[in-house]
Every structure is written in structure tokens, then in C-alpha cells.
Amino acid sequence: MDLYEFLQTVPTFSDFPQSDIEVLEKSLRVDHYPKDHVFTSEGEKDSSMYLMMQGEVQLSRKRPHDRGFEYREVLKSGDMFGLRSLIDNQPRFSTCRAITEVTAASLPRSAFNLLYHSHVAIAEHFQFIVAKQLSRELRALDRALVKALTSGSLEEFLSPMPKGDDVGC
Amino acid sequence: MSDTAQDMGPRAFVERFPALTELSVADAGILLREMQRLDLPAGKEVIARGDLNDSIYFIWGGGVSVGLTTGEAVLTVGEFTAGQWIGETSLVDPAPASAACTTLADSTLLSLSHARFMELRRSHPAITSTLLQMLNESLAERMRRTVRFLDRGPDASGLGDQDQRHWLLEALRRVIGTAARSAT
């Protein structure tokens, strides 16, 4: 699969001029991963973000009081994960594991830092995506807590969140 | 007294908001040009619960209380004072507010709308990059503290109504960023 052509089909890069798509293509590295490959592990530090090109990745997060894994979302072609590693060096919130063979383009933090200095508009776009993702996650928690507080239903809040909530790695 | 955000002065702006010290004085001046100054009396509702909010509000002076109406009571979730800000999630992703924000005293706020922010992204990405870096660090820290708190979890069966309410409120304070730093 041609990365340049693929990038032009990803909605989040639809506003990018051709020159920025070319820079992004040169910054990303395409690799193939076997089924069960673990891209990010909850609680561990890593330093790359991934753009899914083919296959599926399952994103999951442990909640001790739920006694086990709580599966949240299946990521597919065009989805990105591990974005937060670009803005901080903190442990990941989630585990991302390949549930099929996967082709993905990765951007290590070191390459992001170079982009930040040479092509600030591209780096800024990734920062905006992270901000939007974090905002939606916090908003989902905020709404669930407000609902529980106003209804007095702690049990409802503690039940697993439905699939499809925005949860990043 | 001056009437516009720009009249506050860019140097004073970065000094008032230490989280923005990465901004140069010149860039702070450009940012201020996009902001609106609001001089509000005490008790004025800045954001109404359920209303679409599309702005971040930097608190220049005074303060803002975040409150929830439960039955006939108003529950104060937290308070923000000068040098802090509210509404950053709406700046990047406008949405209805889940709680009301009301001034605690006569207050001066500087607002930046989503529309102005998106224009600034196109014209001055280096400035919005610095702003986003500051917001992302703050949002990620709130998320980490919330997740740590939720992961400890309550023993729901062992909590009375008051304790359940207290636990939920503490979780919400971490989400909105008003829990004390010493509380993990």
C-alpha cells in the first residue's frame, strides 16, 4: 500500500496541503505486525504513535474494581493510537494489541520533535488531535459522574462503560 | 480602566498566567488580539449548564465557581481563581456544559472562542502549538489523577449514601481539575 496515497484518504489529514503530506510521508515508517503484537502496554512508557493502515487493533484498559479487562474499542484503518506519547513521557493508559495481522505507520517521539522544529503546522495538528481526544475522554467521565451525582447512582457509574467511548492509549 | 483584552498588555498576560511562559511577549500580544475581555459582577453566570460552550476563559481577576444543582441544593464542585482558566475542552471541541460556572466576586475574564482559535491555528500555528502544549499537559494530568482515583475504586456495597456522594464528588473534582494537588 502506498503511504502517500493512503494519507490523502485519512479524514484527519484532509486539510493538509500536498507539501505537508509529503513531509508526513517521509517522517512515518510503515511496518507489518503479526496477530497478538502488543503496540502499547497499560502502565508502561513508550514513545511512538501509530496510524492504522490495515487490520484491527483492540484497545483495552484494566479497572481493578471491575475484576479484569474491560474492552473498549477496536481500531481500524485510518485510526490513530499512542498519540499521547508525543506530548509526554508518562505511562500509557491503555493496552493496544493486534487482533489480526496489521500494517501501520509509526511516528516516534524523536521524529515528532524534529517535525515540531521544522514543520510546526504538522506538529500542531497532532497536538490538536491529542487535545480533542483528551477533552472527549474527560467529558465522558464528567457526564457520567454528574449523572451519578444528580441521580445518586454510584452502581451505574461503576458498571463498565459501553463500547465506542473515546479512549486513547 | 481599559476595555479590551489587548489593553491588558502581553507581558502582564504571560506573568498572570505562568503556564503560558513559553509564549513570547510578541506572540502573547497576537493571542490577546483574538481575545475578548469580560468585566463581570459577582454572582454572574458565565456558563449555564446545558448551554453550548465554545470558549476558554482565562481568569485575570476574581474567581469562578463550578456548581451542580441537585434537587433544590447547589453543590459546589470547585473554584478557580486568578491565573487559572476554565473551558479548555470546549475550546478544542465545543459541547454543552455539564455544570454551571458563576463568578465568585467581581471578575475580569479573557475569553478565546473556538472560531477565533481555529483562525489562529491557520495564521499562527506556532502560537496555538504552545497553547495546545500547555492545555495537553493540563488535560493529561487531570486524566492521570482521575484514572488513579477511579482505579482504587470504592467498595460500593460498603459505602453509605453520603460516602458514595463524597467519592463521586472527589472523582469529579479530579476530572475538572479542582482537587487539591496533595490528593492523588
Side-chain angles (χ1 to χ4, degrees):
Chain A
M1 186 186 299
D2 181 83
L3 179 58
Y4 181 80
E5 286 180 11
F6 178 76
L7 288 171
Q8 291 178 307
T9 69
V10 179
T12 189
F13 302 127
S14 61
D15 291 343
F16 271 32
Q18 297 291 330
S19 57
D20 283 356
I21 295 280
E22 285 169 14
V23 170
L24 198 52
E25 182 205 11
K26 289 188 177 76
S27 305
L28 293 166
R29 171 181 158 162
V30 177
D31 284 299
H32 304 284
Y33 302 89
K35 183 174 182 285
D36 291 328
H37 176 78
V38 177
F39 292 89
T40 67
S41 293
E42 183 181 346
E44 292 184 11
K45 292 182 180 179
D46 60 72
S47 59
S48 291
M49 82 90 184
Y50 299 86
L51 168 64
M52 294 282 295
M53 296 176 72
Q54 270 184 333
E56 293 184 348
V57 163
Q58 186 160 254
L59 183 151
S60 61
R61 217 181 85 66
K62 238 186 263 181
R63 289 175 72 181
H65 56 280
D66 286 334
R67 296 183 297 278
F69 281 102
E70 179 187 36
Y71 294 109
R72 298 287 189 96
E73 197 172 355
V74 173
L75 306 172
K76 296 179 179 175
S77 177
D79 289 335
M80 290 189 281
F81 60 92
L83 277 156
R84 275 184 216 139
S85 65
L86 302 183
I87 60 152
D88 65 21
N89 193 30
Q90 295 294 322
R92 297 303 96 205
F93 288 135
S94 310
T95 294
C96 291
R97 180 192 301 271
I99 54 175
T100 65
E101 289 187 353
V102 166
T103 302
S106 62
L107 180 71
R109 192 175 185 186
S110 54
F112 175 77
N113 288 339
L114 287 175
L115 268 181
Y116 188 85
H117 293 291
S118 61
H119 295 83
V120 69
I122 299 176
E124 193 266 2
H125 189 72
F126 281 109
Q127 289 172 308
F128 182 71
I129 296 170
V130 175
K132 210 163 175 175
Q133 188 181 60
L134 281 166
S135 294
R136 289 183 176 179
E137 290 171 28
L138 283 166
R139 187 172 287 139
L141 283 167
D142 177 272
R143 289 194 174 137
L145 285 162
V146 167
K147 187 176 173 191
L149 263 170
T150 49
S151 70
S153 174
L154 178 64
E155 290 290 351
E156 186 181 315
F157 175 75
L158 293 177
S159 62
M161 286 186 183
K163 288 178 182 176
D165 279 6
D166 293 299
V167 176
C169 294
Chain B
M1 181 179 279
S2 55
D3 293 319
T4 69
Q6 211 172 343
D7 291 338
M8 297 298 200
R11 190 174 300 280
F13 179 63
V14 292
E15 285 171 359
R16 183 63 57 104
F17 300 97
L20 291 171
T21 48
E22 292 295 313
L23 275 182
S24 68
V25 172
D27 285 349
I30 292 168
L31 183 57
L32 276 173
R33 282 209 300 266
E34 303 300 325
M35 300 176 100
Q36 184 182 359
R37 174 177 166 162
L38 304 167
D39 292 305
L40 304 171
K44 175 77 176 174
E45 195 168 63
V46 183
I47 302 170
R49 186 178 177 191
D51 280 3
L52 181 72
N53 181 40
D54 71 348
S55 298
I56 188 171
Y57 296 88
F58 290 89
I59 304 170
W60 182 275
V64 173
S65 167
V66 180
L68 276 176
T69 305
T70 58
E72 292 182 0
V74 176
L75 186 64
T76 299
V77 181
E79 294 176 354
F80 294 86
T81 54
Q84 296 180 300
W85 57 85
I86 57 171
E88 63 267 51
T89 56
S90 296
L91 179 71
V92 293
D93 189 32
S98 62
C101 297
T102 308
T103 52
L104 287 161
D106 291 351
S107 301
T108 299
L109 312 180
L110 304 178
S111 70
L112 176 66
S113 71
H114 175 74
R116 292 281 189 151
F117 176 69
M118 295 305 276
E119 283 173 19
L120 202 55
R121 288 188 66 210
R122 280 184 282 276
S123 60
H124 294 85
I127 295 176
T128 51
S129 173
T130 303
L131 190 57
L132 284 166
Q133 180 69 26
M134 179 271 286
L135 295 181
N136 279 335
E137 285 171 7
S138 164
L139 293 170
E141 174 64 12
R142 279 160 55 182
M143 180 58 81
R144 271 193 293 276
R145 297 185 77 211
T146 304
V147 166
R148 274 203 299 268
F149 184 80
L150 295 180
D151 278 353
R152 287 205 300 273
D155 178 359
S157 60
L159 291 181
D161 286 349
Q162 280 301 105
D163 289 338
Q164 288 190 18
R165 192 178 171 85
H166 178 72
W167 187 85
L168 287 165
L169 191 57
E170 284 302 310
L172 186 58
R173 285 178 172 147
R174 282 157 179 80
V175 171
I176 69 169
T178 56
R181 288 270 156 199
S182 56
T184 54

